[in-house]
Amino acid sequence: MIPLQKHIKRIIDAVIGWAVPAVCAAALLLWKDVPEEVKHYWPLLVVALVALCDSVATWRNRQDIRELRAIHAAADAREEAMQQRDEIIAKAFRAMLDDSMGAIYAACVARGYTTEDERRRYSRLDSAYTANGGNGEAVRRKKHFDALPDEDEWKALHKED
């Protein structure tokens, strides 16, 4: 808000806060002392005061609405920035999960079997990856990973050779 608007707002607050009520109270207190030929102007004074109060309140409301719009625009900008940051973090998290799953997958495929610990870790990583929007490549890899024999099955298969 520019400095001039701050001063105008303070003046309007003063007018609304004490000047109008003081004028009205003084008019009521002095009513008995007002000459009869002037009393017929009272409705005009009331209409003028009401119009002044309405004009001041309307101006004030417009200022408040402008300030609220600025506050909402700033909040919307912050919200959008936070959403973008959350999306970046989610992408980074998926990438880390994918890398960890890929390392376990590559080691097991190269070796030809999996261990119980590797299956458990891969399953935990896959659950987190899927919950965070994992892709079809992970589904394909999981099918192949689940088809690998465990260590005991692999030893049994190769013992017969």
Side-chain angles (χ1 to χ4, degrees), residues 74-87:
D76 289 346
R78 282 193 306 274
E79 178 68 26
E80 186 170 331
M82 287 172 49
Q83 285 178 351
Q84 289 175 350
R85 187 200 67 208
D86 289 348
E87 289 174 14

Side-chain angles (χ1 to χ4, degrees), residues 43-151:
L44 294 175
L45 178 64
V46 170
V47 169
L49 283 173
V50 168
L52 174 66
C53 287
D54 284 347
S55 297
V56 168
T58 300
W59 184 85
R60 179 86 191 278
N61 288 340
R62 286 183 182 157
Q63 294 298 340
D64 291 345
I65 288 170
R66 285 187 193 117
E67 289 174 15
L68 288 173
R69 284 183 180 152
I71 290 168
H72 283 283
D76 289 346
R78 282 193 306 274
E79 178 68 26
E80 186 170 331
M82 287 172 49
Q83 285 178 351
Q84 289 175 350
R85 187 200 67 208
D86 289 348
E87 289 174 14
I88 291 168
I89 290 171
K91 285 179 183 178
F93 185 60
R94 278 194 304 272
M96 290 187 304
L97 290 170
D98 187 49
D99 287 347
S100 297
M101 290 167 49
I104 294 171
Y105 175 80
C108 293
V109 168
R111 200 173 49 228
Y113 65 89
T114 64
T115 65
E116 186 177 321
D117 182 53
E118 289 167 334
R119 284 188 185 273
R120 183 181 45 75
R121 286 185 5 233
Y122 192 88
S123 177
R124 269 194 341 231
L125 292 169
D126 184 60
S127 295
Y129 187 72
T130 302
N132 281 287
N135 60 22
E137 177 63 23
V139 172
R140 184 196 61 76
R141 245 188 345 214
K142 181 164 176 37
K143 287 180 184 175
H144 191 246
F145 183 82
D146 289 342
L148 289 171
D150 65 12
E151 189 174 7

